[in-house]
Amino acid sequence: MPLDQNPLFRKVIAPWYDTEKACYTVIVFMSLVFLFGIAGILEAVEKTEYNEYIWVPVLIVVMSAGVIASIAIRLIKRYFYWFSKQGPKLP
């Protein structure tokens, strides 16, 4: 008798980079990169010789904000799925 390839008791194993701890760690580090980019923008605006290079910190800010937003959306979807699976708690 052949073994069932998809048994019902098998749990889905999330990759290490998609765990909650990893997501929160990436959000913290990307927040630091975001602040670094903001500091770069302020510095580039202040000094006239760096005005033509302002695109570099702007790109850093936009990309780090995109990573933060995508991970936050992923976590929010995960929490909504988790709460909907548990159902309402009745007194």
Side-chain angles (χ1 to χ4, degrees):
M1 186 165 148
L3 293 174
D4 187 14
Q5 294 298 323
N6 292 320
L8 296 175
F9 58 85
R10 183 183 300 176
K11 285 186 171 183
V12 176
I13 300 173
W16 66 268
Y17 54 84
D18 199 25
T19 61
E20 275 188 52
K21 186 184 269 188
C23 288
Y24 287 132
T25 304
V26 170
I27 287 176
V28 167
F29 281 122
M30 284 295 114
S31 298
L32 295 174
V33 171
F34 183 83
L35 293 174
F36 179 73
I38 295 293
I41 290 172
L42 294 175
E43 190 67 27
V45 167
E46 185 179 315
K47 299 197 187 234
T48 56
E49 62 266 13
Y50 295 134
N51 280 344
E52 61 190 40
Y53 300 111
I54 199 166
W55 65 270
V56 176
V58 168
L59 184 65
I60 289 173
V61 166
V62 169
M63 290 174 62
S64 63
V67 170
I68 290 170
S70 74
I71 292 177
I73 290 169
R74 181 184 304 162
L75 286 174
I76 289 169
K77 284 181 181 178
R78 185 179 301 163
Y79 287 134
F80 277 135
Y81 175 75
W82 187 69
F83 284 127
S84 69
K85 212 173 167 185
Q86 285 193 352
K89 304 258 183 194
L90 298 174

